[in-house]
Amino acid sequence: MEWMIRNINMEEIDQFASILKEVAEWLKRTNKEMWYTSELTKEALLEKYALNELFIGFLNGESAGTIIVQEQDHIFWPHENKNDALYLHKIAIRRKYAKEGVSVNLIDWAKQQAKMQLKKYIRLDCAADRPNLCYFYECQGFQQVGQKTVGEFFVALYEYQV
């Protein structure tokens, strides 16, 4: 299988959003709603994130997954402003690629990016009430460093030491 990840361009924002919407709809159908489709529109994504923070992973030439990589996260990690970490968000995989290792490839790529940028950590948050998701991140070497409520979400905070 041929794997590639790269930053998207403006023409690909709809494709990026479509992956997120597909996953959001699947989560809703499985009673695990996490993202609202209103926050996954092209306009909403570009309002919240810079284009250079949005990445798509391709498997055999087809868009398979998304990841957002930021240098700061003032919402979930407001006290961490040393510029020593990358922050991951919206890791989403098209359902047809759910068991193909795309999530692991996206995270491994982020680890390589952090290493190349001389970062000490990769940080992320996830729903604290989803043991399978928490276990997945722990299997990727992340350690839970806390839990907190942000708005209506109770999240687990995870950190990976590069």
Side-chain angles (χ1 to χ4, degrees):
M1 285 192 269
E2 182 184 327
W3 171 254
M4 178 184 70
I5 185 169
R6 65 172 169 75
N7 190 239
I8 69 167
N9 58 47
M10 188 57 91
E11 292 75 38
E12 294 170 316
I13 188 74
D14 290 323
Q15 185 176 16
F16 184 91
S18 76
I19 297 170
L20 291 172
K21 288 175 186 174
E22 177 184 326
V23 173
E25 290 167 7
W26 172 74
L27 288 168
K28 188 175 183 176
R29 282 193 311 275
T30 59
N31 295 317
K32 299 176 187 173
E33 190 169 14
M34 185 180 326
W35 303 319
Y36 303 114
T37 53
S38 63
E39 68 181 321
L40 305 177
T41 65
K42 171 183 172 179
E43 295 77 19
L45 288 167
L46 291 174
E47 185 176 312
K48 189 171 182 179
Y49 305 104
L51 191 63
N52 68 353
E53 297 173 333
L54 310 179
F55 296 85
I56 292 182
F58 294 87
L59 189 59
N60 298 325
E62 280 190 64
S63 60
T66 63
I67 189 170
I68 295 175
V69 181
Q70 297 182 296
E71 295 216 3
Q72 303 251 325
D73 181 344
H74 299 294
I75 296 172
F76 294 99
W77 300 83
H79 303 297
E80 299 293 341
N81 54 10
K82 299 177 191 134
N83 201 29
D84 64 350
L86 292 180
Y87 298 86
L88 308 184
H89 296 283
K90 303 274 192 294
I91 299 171
I93 311 306
R94 286 199 189 279
R95 296 300 77 212
K96 75 185 243 182
Y97 296 115
K99 303 293 182 195
E100 301 294 327
V102 174
S103 297
V104 173
N105 284 332
L106 289 168
I107 290 171
D108 285 348
W109 174 85
K111 289 175 180 177
Q112 292 171 356
Q113 296 303 303
K115 191 176 281 189
M116 288 186 326
Q117 296 176 35
L118 303 176
K119 303 292 185 182
K120 290 183 181 178
Y121 306 101
I122 298 174
R123 297 184 175 118
L124 58 84
D125 63 275
C126 73
D129 62 349
R130 301 201 180 155
N132 291 345
L133 184 58
C134 292
Y135 179 72
F136 169 77
Y137 288 124
E138 291 162 7
C139 287
Q140 303 313 307
F142 286 82
Q143 292 187 333
Q144 189 176 132
V145 295
Q147 294 182 339
K148 68 195 268 186
T149 300
V150 178
E152 61 186 278
F153 301 105
F154 181 56
V155 299
L157 301 173
Y158 279 92
E159 188 172 78
Y160 173 86
Q161 192 163 353
V162 178

